[in-house]
Amino acid sequence: MIIFDLVLKALAVCALAVDFVLYFGTANIMAVTGAGVAILLPLIFMQYKLLNRFLEAADYGQTTRDKLASMLTYLKTKFFTTLLSVSGTYLFGFIAGSLVYFYKTYGYVRPLDGVDFVVFLTFILIGIVLNFVVNQGQVKYHIKHLETCLKDLNDKNLELVTENIELQRKSDRSNKILLALVLILGILLLIIVFKNIGFIVK
């Protein structure tokens, strides 16, 4: 899931770069595509670090008990952050794809009326929510499976993991807040594109 999303983020960066070239000379579109790339690149770096942490948690050099404990700790602490990042990819992909569509169809971003804006916003919200819910369902399944395995070991390992999870959750709040702000910023970029705030499009 993480690797696939890294590929999608990289493709979104490429698409936004293409949009920058296509709309070269149109100030607001250039600003939006540049901002999109500037947001996605740190997200790619952050998600790459999360991938490395996941690989460390799944290190085959550990004992079975330690591996189960580290995997469960990761999934219960870091994966919500990953889910936010994965869901946010849809937003930036939608922006990049919409700009390509408008350029191919009209040669510029045509101003949208109220109905158009509601439809676009609805598609975005449905895509983000579905992405989050489906991936979260898969993660919850794996968490339940890991908890069952640790209980079957008949020791206090699950209690220690729970304590460690609570500590890591507190330290991970800043990342969750940051990703929530990124999603909000992405929606604002979309509004700038479609409502042409402060710029002339044509």
Side-chain angles (χ1 to χ4, degrees):
M1 185 189 302
I2 299 174
I3 294 173
F4 181 67
D5 186 63
L6 281 171
V7 173
L8 291 180
K9 277 185 169 62
L11 290 175
V13 168
C14 293
L16 287 170
V18 170
D19 289 330
F20 184 89
V21 174
L22 291 176
Y23 289 94
F24 191 79
T26 306
N28 66 322
I29 307 299
M30 292 173 64
V32 166
T33 53
V37 171
I39 293 171
L40 281 173
L41 288 178
L43 284 179
I44 290 174
F45 177 73
M46 185 193 74
Q47 197 149 322
Y48 181 74
K49 289 177 65 177
L50 289 173
L51 176 62
N52 286 334
R53 290 183 185 178
F54 178 79
L55 295 176
E56 290 173 4
D59 181 16
Y60 291 101
Q62 301 180 85
T63 64
T64 301
R65 180 183 303 162
D66 290 341
K67 189 193 308 185
L68 291 173
S70 60
M71 289 285 288
L72 181 59
T73 301
Y74 177 88
L75 291 179
K76 280 202 165 186
T77 57
K78 302 298 181 186
F79 218 83
F80 184 80
T81 302
T82 304
L83 287 175
L84 285 177
S85 180
V86 169
S87 301
T89 304
Y90 179 86
L91 173 62
F92 292 96
F94 187 91
I95 292 174
S98 297
L99 288 173
V100 171
Y101 167 78
F102 279 114
Y103 184 84
K104 184 177 179 181
T105 305
Y106 305 105
Y108 62 94
V109 178
R110 70 171 181 83
L112 303 181
D113 57 27
V115 175
D116 290 330
F117 189 75
V118 170
V119 170
F120 274 87
L121 189 59
T122 301
F123 274 120
I124 290 171
L125 292 176
I126 290 175
I128 291 175
V129 171
L130 281 179
N131 194 303
F132 186 89
V133 170
V134 170
N135 289 327
Q136 186 184 46
Q138 294 179 2
V139 173
K140 284 184 175 180
Y141 169 80
H142 291 297
I143 287 175
K144 185 177 180 181
H145 179 70
L146 288 169
E147 287 176 337
T148 301
C149 291
L150 284 172
K151 287 179 182 177
D152 288 343
L153 291 175
N154 195 26
D155 58 19
K156 295 184 178 180
N157 212 49
L158 188 56
E159 294 178 13
L160 295 174
V161 168
T162 302
E163 293 176 5
N164 192 27
I165 286 171
E166 290 304 318
L167 291 174
Q168 291 197 31
R169 275 179 174 169
K170 292 179 181 178
S171 65
D172 196 42
R173 286 176 183 171
S174 58
N175 285 335
K176 294 173 184 175
I177 294 173
L178 178 62
L179 284 170
L181 290 175
V182 165
L183 289 176
I184 294 172
L185 183 58
I187 292 174
L188 290 177
L189 291 177
L190 190 70
I191 293 173
I192 291 173
V193 171
F194 291 150
K195 287 297 185 180
N196 311 322
I197 298 175
F199 296 98
I200 297 176
V201 172
K202 297 182 183 180

